[in-house]
Coordinates of all heavy atoms in Angstrom, one line a residue:
N26 N 101.6 72.6 91.3 CA 101.3 71.3 90.6 C 99.8 71.2 90.5 O 99.1 71.4 91.4 CB 101.8 70.2 91.4 CG 103.4 70.1 91.4 OD1 104.0 70.4 90.4 ND2 103.9 69.9 92.6
V27 N 99.3 70.9 89.3 CA 97.9 70.7 89.0 C 97.7 69.3 88.3 O 98.5 68.8 87.6 CB 97.3 71.8 88.2 CG1 97.3 73.1 88.9 CG2 98.1 72.0 86.9
S28 N 96.5 68.8 88.6 CA 96.1 67.5 88.0 C 94.8 67.7 87.3 O 93.8 67.9 88.0 CB 96.0 66.4 89.1 OG 97.3 66.1 89.6
F29 N 94.8 67.6 86.0 CA 93.6 67.6 85.2 C 93.2 66.2 85.0 O 94.0 65.4 84.5 CB 93.8 68.4 83.9 CG 94.0 69.8 84.0 CD1 95.2 70.4 84.5 CD2 93.0 70.7 83.7 CE1 95.4 71.7 84.6 CE2 93.2 72.1 83.8 CZ 94.3 72.6 84.2
T30 N 91.9 65.9 85.3 CA 91.4 64.5 85.2 C 90.0 64.5 84.6 O 89.4 65.6 84.5 CB 91.4 63.7 86.5 OG1 90.6 64.5 87.4 CG2 92.8 63.6 87.1
G31 N 89.5 63.4 84.3 CA 88.1 63.2 83.9 C 87.8 63.5 82.5 O 86.6 63.5 82.1
G32 N 88.8 63.6 81.6 CA 88.6 63.8 80.2 C 88.1 62.5 79.5 O 88.5 61.4 79.9
T33 N 87.3 62.6 78.6 CA 86.8 61.4 77.8 C 86.7 61.8 76.3 O 86.6 62.9 75.9 CB 85.4 61.0 78.3 OG1 84.4 62.1 78.1 CG2 85.3 60.6 79.7
A34 N 86.8 60.7 75.5 CA 86.6 60.8 74.1 C 85.8 59.6 73.6 O 86.1 58.5 73.9 CB 87.9 60.9 73.4
S35 N 84.7 59.9 72.9 CA 83.9 58.8 72.3 C 83.3 59.3 71.0 O 83.4 60.5 70.7 CB 82.8 58.5 73.3 OG 81.9 59.5 73.4
P36 N 82.7 58.4 70.3 CA 82.1 58.8 69.0 C 81.0 59.9 69.1 O 80.8 60.6 68.2 CB 81.6 57.5 68.4 CG 82.3 56.4 69.1 CD 82.7 56.9 70.4
S37 N 80.4 59.9 70.3 CA 79.4 60.9 70.5 C 79.9 62.3 71.0 O 79.1 63.2 71.1 CB 78.3 60.3 71.5 OG 78.9 60.1 72.8
G38 N 81.1 62.4 71.4 CA 81.7 63.7 71.8 C 82.9 63.5 72.7 O 83.3 62.4 73.0
A39 N 83.4 64.6 73.1 CA 84.6 64.7 73.9 C 84.4 65.6 75.1 O 83.7 66.6 75.0 CB 85.8 65.1 73.1
Q40 N 85.0 65.2 76.2 CA 85.0 66.0 77.5 C 86.4 66.3 77.8 O 87.2 65.4 77.9 CB 84.3 65.2 78.6 CG 84.5 65.7 80.0 CD 83.5 66.7 80.4 OE1 82.4 66.7 79.9 NE2 83.8 67.6 81.3
P41 N 86.8 67.6 77.9 CA 88.2 67.9 78.3 C 88.5 67.5 79.7 O 87.7 67.4 80.6 CB 88.2 69.4 78.2 CG 86.9 69.9 78.4 CD 86.0 68.8 77.9
A42 N 89.8 67.2 79.9 CA 90.3 66.9 81.2 C 90.1 68.2 82.0 O 90.3 69.3 81.5 CB 91.8 66.5 81.2
Y43 N 89.7 68.2 83.3 CA 89.4 69.4 84.0 C 90.0 69.5 85.3 O 90.4 68.4 85.9 CB 87.9 69.6 84.1 CG 87.1 68.6 84.9 CD1 86.9 68.8 86.3 CD2 86.7 67.4 84.3 CE1 86.3 67.8 87.0 CE2 86.0 66.5 85.1 CZ 85.8 66.7 86.5 OH 85.2 65.7 87.2
F44 N 90.1 70.7 85.8 CA 90.6 71.0 87.2 C 89.8 72.1 87.7 O 89.6 73.1 87.1 CB 92.1 71.4 87.1 CG 92.7 71.8 88.4 CD1 93.0 70.9 89.4 CD2 92.9 73.2 88.7 CE1 93.6 71.3 90.6 CE2 93.4 73.6 89.9 CZ 93.8 72.7 90.8
M45 N 89.2 71.9 88.9 CA 88.4 72.9 89.5 C 89.0 73.4 90.8 O 89.6 72.6 91.6 CB 87.0 72.2 89.9 CG 86.0 73.3 90.4 SD 84.3 72.7 90.7 CE 84.3 71.0 90.3
T46 N 88.9 74.7 91.0 CA 89.5 75.3 92.2 C 88.8 76.6 92.7 O 88.2 77.3 91.8 CB 91.0 75.7 92.1 OG1 91.5 76.2 93.3 CG2 91.2 76.7 91.0
K47 N 88.7 76.8 94.0 CA 88.2 78.1 94.5 C 89.3 78.9 95.1 O 89.0 80.0 95.6 CB 87.0 77.8 95.5 CG 87.4 77.0 96.7 CD 86.2 76.7 97.6 CE 86.6 75.8 98.7 NZ 85.4 75.5 99.5
D48 N 90.5 78.4 95.1 CA 91.6 79.1 95.7 C 92.1 80.3 94.7 O 92.5 80.0 93.6 CB 92.8 78.2 95.9 CG 94.0 78.8 96.5 OD1 93.9 80.0 96.9 OD2 95.0 78.1 96.7
P49 N 92.0 81.5 95.2 CA 92.3 82.7 94.3 C 93.7 82.7 93.9 O 94.1 83.2 92.8 CB 91.9 83.9 95.1 CG 91.8 83.4 96.6 CD 91.5 82.0 96.5
I50 N 94.6 82.2 94.7 CA 96.1 82.2 94.3 C 96.3 81.2 93.2 O 97.0 81.4 92.2 CB 97.0 81.9 95.6 CG1 96.8 83.1 96.5 CG2 98.4 81.7 95.1 CD1 97.5 83.0 97.8
T51 N 95.7 80.0 93.3 CA 95.8 79.0 92.3 C 95.2 79.5 91.0 O 95.8 79.3 89.9 CB 95.1 77.7 92.7 OG1 95.7 77.2 93.9 CG2 95.2 76.6 91.6
Q52 N 94.1 80.2 91.1 CA 93.5 80.8 89.9 C 94.4 81.8 89.2 O 94.6 81.8 88.0 CB 92.1 81.4 90.2 CG 91.1 80.4 90.7 CD 89.8 81.1 91.3 OE1 89.7 82.3 91.4 NE2 88.9 80.3 91.6
F53 N 95.0 82.6 90.1 CA 95.9 83.7 89.6 C 97.1 83.0 88.8 O 97.5 83.4 87.7 CB 96.4 84.5 90.7 CG 97.5 85.5 90.3 CD1 97.2 86.7 89.7 CD2 98.9 85.2 90.4 CE1 98.1 87.6 89.3 CE2 99.8 86.1 90.0 CZ 99.5 87.3 89.5

Side-chain angles (χ1 to χ4, degrees):
N26 291 317
V27 290
S28 293
F29 287 77
T30 58
T33 61
S35 68
S37 60
Q40 165 89 22
Y43 66 91
F44 173 76
M45 187 177 354
T46 183
K47 60 183 175 181
D48 182 4
I50 295 174
T51 302
Q52 293 171 359
F53 175 84

